[in-house]
Amino acid sequence: MSIFEYNGSAVVAMVGKNCFAIASDRRLGVQLQTIATDFQRISKIHDHLFIGLSGLATDVQTLYQRLVFRHKLYQLREERDMKPETFASLVSAILYEKRFGPFLCQPVIAGLGDDNKPFICTMDSIGAKELAKDFVVSGTASESLYGACEAMFKPDMEAEELFETISQALLSSVDRDCLSGWGGHVYVVTPNEVKERILKGRMD
Amino acid sequence: CFQLFLLLLRFELPSSRKIFKTRVVNRKMTHSSVDLPPKGGFSFDLCKRNDMLTQKGLKAPSFLKTGTTIVGLIFKDGVILGADTRATEGPIVADKNCEKIHYMAPNIYCCGAGTAADTEAVTDMVSSQLRLHRYQTGRDSRVITALTLLKKHLFSYQGHVSAALVLGGVDITGPHLHTIYPHGSTDTLPFATMGSGSLAAMSVFEAKYKEGLTRDEGIKLVAEAICSGIFNDLGSGSNVDICVITKGHKEYLRNYMEPNPRTYVSSKGYSFTKKTEVLLTKITPLSERVEIVEVAGEAMEE
């Protein structure tokens, strides 16, 4: 069994027209036993920047705390929020620093950059950045997510349509994966508001 | 009396060592518990934990590799580098259009194969070192400088930093093309290929390469070699990137050829029969940032 299959996870982010959506499942398990059905995998760094972390849950929480720490230091020094591209480089550097003893998690970063242009990227566990213009996926359900997103994604979707697309892609992929599921958590971010929604899915 | 004192000390040593340890911990508490920005280099503090997890039967993760076909050739006026654009994670294609030709200096580019994080990190690091060196010397970077910096780094990590590179550029001494292997050995060649598709690409080069190629002939040959890798090697795919470097001028042709376009896209899109059920919605309006306006002409009172 792979280390990534210890806790189980599914995270996906998609780009829309001046908005982005990031979604994750809610299950936390210890191999085949479910121990929580409301685990937070997506966390806010600042109003327009979210990071979803999949993989070993302890590393998810530790890495998130370290990133929040670094971002707060940046805010104190620069008196502004970090741009998503800068944040992605920061995460990549922190992960590569542990090249030979890595954090066992894969981040998905989504944010609105300058001119409200959406930015998404994912990385493997040692920080190899993978920028994409359409969607990025990570977690145990990633293979199904690749397929579902390829089929369902359309460029330049508005916020409501983007929400529907990402939710359908997430729920149909986690239904095919034993280790993730128990609902979904979706954040749709436009320049003016953040809509956080909890989805009803199969509870098995 | 002094020897007795020494004897006592020797017997005391274990307990005193314990006291010494706690004293050290107290003094260095800020060093171990606060995660200050690091001074650079690798940190190995999670290795023990990861080994313990591997021993318990949990397999280590697979990293993003770049499967890859990367090539380079020297033509009449300079160097042409080529690469495919597929990044794989095991058998899955993680990125259909990644960039494998990395910038090192205005006159030097480097293609990378192997573990994606390693190629990106090592080329970024040497690119920064080259820039600092340019500031110090006031001269354009030489390809051989980049070569030495890369091979020193890779050799010192004994092949664990898994980056196989094709380095090419034109400097004051002329065009150069080198290959660098993960263990730190290098070759200087008129044409070179690396990666899982290197055999497919090399077969094209060995058949059709000749000295003194023109720019268009060179680009055509490089594109053909990469296509051969794309179609015959499963680890390479998608599009062809080409970079042409001549004296004083470079051209980065991103997605020069796209022999694998996505043709089966339905114009109607995907229609969902059943909408998702939402349990809870929370809307957070984002307030406008406060703008600071400087009013001209108002000086601060003493």
Side-chain angles (χ1 to χ4, degrees), chain A residues 119-131:
Chain A
F119 169 88
I120 49 170
C121 98
T122 185
M123 284 168 220
D124 70 345
S125 54
I126 46 174
K129 259 189 294 194
E130 188 204 309
L131 309 166

Side-chain angles (χ1 to χ4, degrees), chain B residues 5-295:
Chain B
F5 178 63
L6 276 176
L7 240 149
L8 269 171
L9 248 183
R10 219 173 292 141
F11 282 124
E12 297 265 68
L13 221 42
S15 54
S16 69
R17 215 183 276 148
K18 267 188 235 144
I19 299 168
F20 181 69
K21 225 195 232 168
T22 52
R23 224 185 293 144
V24 169
V25 168
N26 278 328
R27 230 188 303 145
K28 292 194 180 169
M29 207 166 76
T30 48
H31 178 72
S32 57
S33 60
V34 174
D35 176 31
L36 291 167
K39 289 203 195 80
F42 292 121
S43 114
F44 296 94
D45 51 356
L46 290 179
C47 284
K48 212 167 161 189
R49 179 201 73 157
N50 288 359
D51 275 338
M52 181 267 290
L53 288 168
T54 320
Q55 270 166 23
K56 288 210 168 149
L58 294 162
K59 273 192 326 160
S62 70
F63 305 133
L64 194 75
K65 285 192 139 352
T66 55
T68 300
T69 308
I70 46 175
V71 307
L73 65 70
I74 296 189
F75 71 110
K76 199 164 52 134
D77 306 319
V79 171
I80 306 180
L81 298 172
D84 73 307
T85 59
R86 173 183 282 184
T88 53
E89 200 161 355
I92 307 289
V93 175
D95 195 349
K96 289 187 282 188
N97 206 357
C98 70
E99 277 186 37
K100 298 189 193 179
I101 306 186
H102 307 281
Y103 167 89
M104 297 283 262
N107 55 332
I108 307 174
Y109 274 74
C110 184
C111 308
T115 303
D118 287 333
T119 56
E120 269 179 47
V122 100
T123 49
D124 276 349
M125 182 190 78
V126 171
S127 170
S128 313
Q129 288 178 337
L130 282 177
R131 186 184 273 221
L132 287 171
H133 192 248
R134 274 203 297 284
Y135 289 147
Q136 271 195 312
T137 56
R139 295 188 170 101
D140 285 337
S141 301
R142 299 191 186 194
V143 182
I144 209 159
T145 317
L147 179 73
T148 311
L149 289 168
L150 285 165
K151 72 168 12 178
K152 269 182 72 172
H153 181 81
L154 292 174
F155 178 73
S156 65
Y157 286 98
Q158 288 290 294
H160 289 285
V161 175
S162 168
L165 310 164
V166 169
L167 175 72
V170 179
D171 57 28
I172 193 79
T173 53
H176 296 276
L177 180 68
H178 303 280
T179 53
I180 307 162
Y181 289 84
H183 286 264
S185 63
T186 58
D187 285 315
T188 308
L189 300 160
F191 57 93
T193 66
M194 293 281 262
S196 57
S198 61
L199 275 74
M202 189 50 99
S203 61
V204 173
F205 273 174
E206 287 287 4
K208 298 188 180 172
Y209 180 81
K210 57 182 201 289
E211 285 188 15
L213 289 164
T214 63
R215 183 178 176 278
D216 290 327
E217 284 175 352
I219 292 181
K220 196 159 149 293
L221 185 57
V222 164
E224 209 183 318
I226 300 286
C227 283
S228 155
I230 286 173
F231 294 124
N232 298 101
D233 173 42
L234 300 177
S236 321
S238 297
N239 314 316
V240 180
D241 281 352
I242 292 197
C243 185
V244 184
I245 311 172
T246 51
K247 192 170 151 79
H249 181 64
K250 62 149 194 281
E251 236 179 295
Y252 185 37
L253 305 162
R254 169 87 170 131
N255 289 353
Y256 171 75
M257 249 175 88
E258 292 184 8
N260 297 302
R262 194 156 166 222
T263 45
Y264 309 111
V265 189
S266 159
S267 53
K268 287 194 277 82
Y270 207 88
S271 59
F272 301 114
T273 46
K274 189 167 170 233
K275 275 176 83 68
T276 28
E277 283 182 63
V278 178
L279 289 174
L280 177 79
T281 310
K282 192 168 95 172
I283 304 178
T284 318
L286 298 173
S287 52
E288 282 287 318
R289 272 277 149 79
V290 174
E291 291 244 342
I292 303 170
V293 177
E294 297 253 348
V295 181

